[in-house]
Amino acid sequence: MGDALDATNLLPWLPAPEADFRATVRALATAEAPGEADLRRIAATAMDASQLGQLGRVVRRNREAVARNTSFLPVRLGIVGSHTLDQIIDALEGTGLRHGLLLKLTKAPYGQVIQAVLDPASGFAPHSLDYVLLSLDARSLGLHQSRLDEGGAGDAVQAAIDQMILLRDGIRDRIGAACIFQTLAPPTDTLFGHFDRRVAGSPRALVEAFNRRLDTIALDGDVIVDVAFVASTVGLARWNDAREWHGAKMPFALDATPLYADHVCRVIAAARGKARKCLILDLDNTLWGGVIGDDGVEGIALGNGSGTGEAFAAIQRLALELRQRGVILAVCSKNEEANALIPFREHAEMLLKEEHIAAFVANWNDKAGNIRDIAATLNIGTDSLVFLDDNPVERALVRRELPEVAVPEAGLDPADYPGLVARAGYFEAVSFSDEDRKRADYYAANAERTRTQASITNLADYLASLDMVMTVQPFDGQSRARISQLVNKSNQFNLTTRRYGEDDIQAFERDPRKYTLQVRLEDRFGDNGMISVIIFDKHGDAWSCDTWLMSCRVLGRGVEQAVLAEIAAAARAEGAAALIGHYLPTKKNGLVAEHFAKLGFAQIAGHADGATDWRLDLADYSAPDLPIRVVRIAEAEAVA
């Protein structure tokens, strides 16, 4: 092992903790209810393993109060491992806050991997878990020693994969959780030197073969933490620490724990819909070198011809690639708007164009306020934002005023900026669909709709001008992944916030007792994609709402009423006399507390936790006349 791994070097996108870190944590520990802003601020720093442990213990002692008073998403995580887990658990609890998660961890006894998962008497299975992290290493899977006998390499890898399948099925069937698999870090030392990769039975080749096959056994809802990649970012000689293993059975260098915890948490956050959605960019000395208002378009540094200019082009290239995979781009600059737009329109080597920017804000107002306005324009939460700015004063302001916004610690060298944004994992993904690819276009088009609405004073005229076409059809296999993604990510316009994996969605497709609907919307500005998911339970003469979620992008256009008309028509056709609605309150869905009331339902019950029940008698219901053309695709057509 070489020099110790410093947390600020492992996590360079995060600022260093405050000098009075210990006092801050002590104050949090003694507070009656730790505040969300304080927790977010401290979590968004490059804490070492010891500091993460301190914060993790505060979270553990105050979990109920934190859950009650903050918007962190509760996630129940079980961990089974072939090594010491205590340090990892402390780090995960503290790191989870950085990614919007409130983790509750359940640890299997040391080394009891198979027993914890498969033995009913283990005490591990009764815990209600969302995920189980299989924190295994090459030693526990028999891949740490060479297998040079004929057929030995294949047998060893197959045995390791079979063990993972056994654990996966046990976790699915007995515990009811999804799996978090890990790739294996390659060994530091070689047996044949550079010839290792060509000898199937060398430890390096065994590990590589196992890692390649791991993707093939992950089921819907399972995720993979690429530990092999994480180890490569710091160097295998630093990641693998023989002294830590022999002395304390630590799977990697103790100092690497903050990086490992960050990668585990970012993957869980992505799976639970907490990945960031939007990159907000400053302009002067962030997208180009210099000040456009002073230097003019000819004087800014951008593009080929200088190292500095190429560094700024690299930032734009990353932003453009992020947009191509669905990340929304916005601009927030202290500038005259006319000056700020000049490079986008006139500089030959400007990669980003106006049409790539969903929200363009250039004025002299404070940036925290402008960022709030950008979130409102895009109709997304401020916790979905990343703000890249070269100015430390502006970064400090945004961190203070909006601690939920991710603000990478950009240094003085623009060549570092792309790596900081990419390595931070803000836009971590666990899937990639055509809907994801188009997301940035959806939001850009929606911003244009907002601007158009501002120019039309009559709402009815505006809605008619959109030329909306709504397509409805039952759940189907082709859209299953996207439906599950929406169910797991939607928080604001979500009446019950029930979460379902792809296997659940598939079961609903086949269940005659379920009414399912996926809804898409197009208008003259473009395709909004899938904007609503509906699940109703058919209970004789009354259908009960299990799930009703919609994209906030389409609020106020009459789509809710149009969807209700489809549900009501289907229920009537099957002899139902009423629809029953349920609202289950969360910290984020207050937006829809009166959803059923606005649609004409009557409240029939209220509960102490704020939940409400509603009823709509279909005999009294008439579908409204709306400026929306509805295209219905029957189940048979969807299958075809």
Short mmCIF file of all heavy atoms in Angstrom, two decimals, residues 65 112 130 171 197 208 221 282 330 340 358 362 368 399 405 492 508 528-529 545 600 625:
data_model
loop_
_atom_site.label_atom_id
_atom_site.label_comp_id
_atom_site.label_asym_id
_atom_site.label_seq_id
_atom_site.Cartn_x
_atom_site.Cartn_y
_atom_site.Cartn_z
N ALA A 65 -36.61 10.94 14.01
CA ALA A 65 -36.82 12.38 13.89
C ALA A 65 -36.43 12.88 12.51
O ALA A 65 -37.12 13.74 11.93
CB ALA A 65 -36.00 13.12 14.96
N GLN A 112 -21.39 -14.74 7.51
CA GLN A 112 -22.56 -15.63 7.38
C GLN A 112 -23.37 -15.25 6.13
O GLN A 112 -24.51 -14.81 6.22
CB GLN A 112 -23.42 -15.54 8.62
CG GLN A 112 -22.71 -15.93 9.91
CD GLN A 112 -22.42 -17.42 9.95
OE1 GLN A 112 -23.33 -18.24 9.93
NE2 GLN A 112 -21.15 -17.77 9.99
N ASP A 130 -35.50 -3.27 1.28
CA ASP A 130 -35.66 -2.88 -0.12
C ASP A 130 -34.56 -3.50 -0.99
O ASP A 130 -34.81 -3.92 -2.12
CB ASP A 130 -35.61 -1.35 -0.25
CG ASP A 130 -36.71 -0.67 0.53
OD1 ASP A 130 -37.89 -1.01 0.29
OD2 ASP A 130 -36.40 0.18 1.38
N ILE A 171 -32.60 -14.10 -1.87
CA ILE A 171 -32.97 -12.72 -1.53
C ILE A 171 -34.32 -12.37 -2.12
O ILE A 171 -35.16 -11.74 -1.46
CB ILE A 171 -31.87 -11.76 -2.02
CG1 ILE A 171 -30.61 -11.93 -1.17
CG2 ILE A 171 -32.35 -10.31 -1.99
CD1 ILE A 171 -29.38 -11.27 -1.74
N ARG A 197 -3.67 -12.03 -18.67
CA ARG A 197 -4.99 -11.90 -19.29
C ARG A 197 -5.24 -12.98 -20.33
O ARG A 197 -6.38 -13.24 -20.71
CB ARG A 197 -5.17 -10.52 -19.90
CG ARG A 197 -4.21 -10.20 -21.03
CD ARG A 197 -4.41 -8.78 -21.57
NE ARG A 197 -5.76 -8.57 -22.06
CZ ARG A 197 -6.60 -7.71 -21.53
NH1 ARG A 197 -6.24 -6.95 -20.51
NH2 ARG A 197 -7.81 -7.57 -22.03
N GLU A 208 -11.93 -11.24 -14.19
CA GLU A 208 -12.49 -10.58 -15.37
C GLU A 208 -13.63 -11.39 -15.96
O GLU A 208 -14.66 -10.82 -16.38
CB GLU A 208 -11.40 -10.35 -16.41
CG GLU A 208 -10.39 -9.27 -16.02
CD GLU A 208 -9.30 -9.08 -17.05
OE1 GLU A 208 -9.24 -9.88 -18.01
OE2 GLU A 208 -8.50 -8.13 -16.91
N GLY A 221 -34.79 -4.80 -11.50
CA GLY A 221 -34.73 -4.19 -10.18
C GLY A 221 -33.39 -4.36 -9.50
O GLY A 221 -33.07 -3.61 -8.58
N ASP A 282 -22.71 28.08 -15.41
CA ASP A 282 -22.28 29.46 -15.52
C ASP A 282 -21.65 29.64 -16.91
O ASP A 282 -21.41 28.66 -17.63
CB ASP A 282 -21.26 29.74 -14.41
CG ASP A 282 -20.67 31.13 -14.48
OD1 ASP A 282 -21.43 32.09 -14.67
OD2 ASP A 282 -19.43 31.23 -14.39
N ALA A 330 -29.18 23.98 -18.47
CA ALA A 330 -29.67 25.33 -18.22
C ALA A 330 -28.46 26.25 -18.03
O ALA A 330 -27.35 25.79 -17.80
CB ALA A 330 -30.58 25.37 -17.00
N ALA A 340 -24.55 37.56 -23.28
CA ALA A 340 -24.40 36.15 -22.96
C ALA A 340 -24.74 35.25 -24.14
O ALA A 340 -24.18 34.16 -24.28
CB ALA A 340 -25.28 35.80 -21.76
N ALA A 358 -32.43 24.43 -22.04
CA ALA A 358 -33.86 24.44 -21.73
C ALA A 358 -34.29 25.70 -21.01
O ALA A 358 -35.42 26.15 -21.15
CB ALA A 358 -34.23 23.21 -20.90
N ALA A 362 -29.79 35.00 -17.74
CA ALA A 362 -28.63 35.87 -17.65
C ALA A 362 -29.10 37.24 -17.20
O ALA A 362 -29.79 37.95 -17.94
CB ALA A 362 -27.92 35.96 -19.00
N ALA A 368 -28.72 32.20 -6.43
CA ALA A 368 -29.60 31.28 -5.72
C ALA A 368 -31.05 31.53 -6.13
O ALA A 368 -31.81 30.58 -6.39
CB ALA A 368 -29.43 31.44 -4.22
N ARG A 399 -24.58 27.04 -2.01
CA ARG A 399 -24.55 25.99 -0.99
C ARG A 399 -25.25 26.44 0.29
O ARG A 399 -25.91 25.64 0.95
CB ARG A 399 -23.09 25.62 -0.68
CG ARG A 399 -22.41 24.82 -1.78
CD ARG A 399 -20.98 24.49 -1.39
NE ARG A 399 -20.28 23.81 -2.47
CZ ARG A 399 -19.07 24.09 -2.90
NH1 ARG A 399 -18.39 25.08 -2.31
NH2 ARG A 399 -18.51 23.41 -3.88
N VAL A 405 -28.96 21.61 -3.62
CA VAL A 405 -28.37 21.68 -4.96
C VAL A 405 -26.93 21.16 -4.89
O VAL A 405 -26.18 21.54 -3.99
CB VAL A 405 -28.40 23.12 -5.50
CG1 VAL A 405 -27.65 23.22 -6.83
CG2 VAL A 405 -29.84 23.59 -5.66
N GLN A 492 -43.95 13.92 -6.79
CA GLN A 492 -44.83 15.06 -6.54
C GLN A 492 -46.27 14.78 -6.95
O GLN A 492 -47.17 14.83 -6.12
CB GLN A 492 -44.28 16.29 -7.28
CG GLN A 492 -42.93 16.76 -6.77
CD GLN A 492 -42.49 18.03 -7.45
OE1 GLN A 492 -42.90 19.14 -7.11
NE2 GLN A 492 -41.62 17.89 -8.44
N PHE A 508 -49.13 -7.16 -13.21
CA PHE A 508 -50.33 -6.35 -13.41
C PHE A 508 -50.86 -6.48 -14.83
O PHE A 508 -52.08 -6.45 -15.07
CB PHE A 508 -50.04 -4.88 -13.10
CG PHE A 508 -49.67 -4.61 -11.67
CD1 PHE A 508 -48.92 -3.47 -11.34
CD2 PHE A 508 -50.06 -5.45 -10.65
CE1 PHE A 508 -48.56 -3.21 -10.03
CE2 PHE A 508 -49.71 -5.20 -9.33
CZ PHE A 508 -48.96 -4.08 -9.02
N ASN A 528 -44.18 14.69 -25.52
CA ASN A 528 -43.91 14.73 -24.09
C ASN A 528 -43.54 13.36 -23.53
O ASN A 528 -43.18 13.23 -22.37
CB ASN A 528 -45.14 15.24 -23.32
CG ASN A 528 -45.41 16.70 -23.58
OD1 ASN A 528 -44.88 17.56 -22.91
ND2 ASN A 528 -46.25 16.99 -24.57
N GLY A 529 -43.66 12.31 -24.35
CA GLY A 529 -43.38 10.96 -23.88
C GLY A 529 -44.48 10.45 -22.97
O GLY A 529 -45.62 10.93 -22.97
N CYS A 545 -58.45 3.08 -6.65
CA CYS A 545 -57.19 3.59 -7.21
C CYS A 545 -55.99 3.09 -6.39
O CYS A 545 -55.86 3.41 -5.22
CB CYS A 545 -57.19 5.12 -7.23
SG CYS A 545 -55.70 5.83 -7.95
N GLY A 600 -64.03 16.16 -8.90
CA GLY A 600 -65.44 15.93 -8.60
C GLY A 600 -65.73 14.79 -7.65
O GLY A 600 -66.89 14.45 -7.41
N ASP A 625 -65.75 18.41 -22.11
CA ASP A 625 -65.30 18.65 -23.48
C ASP A 625 -63.93 19.32 -23.41
O ASP A 625 -63.80 20.44 -22.92
CB ASP A 625 -66.31 19.55 -24.21
CG ASP A 625 -65.94 19.75 -25.67
OD1 ASP A 625 -65.16 18.93 -26.21
OD2 ASP A 625 -66.42 20.73 -26.28
#
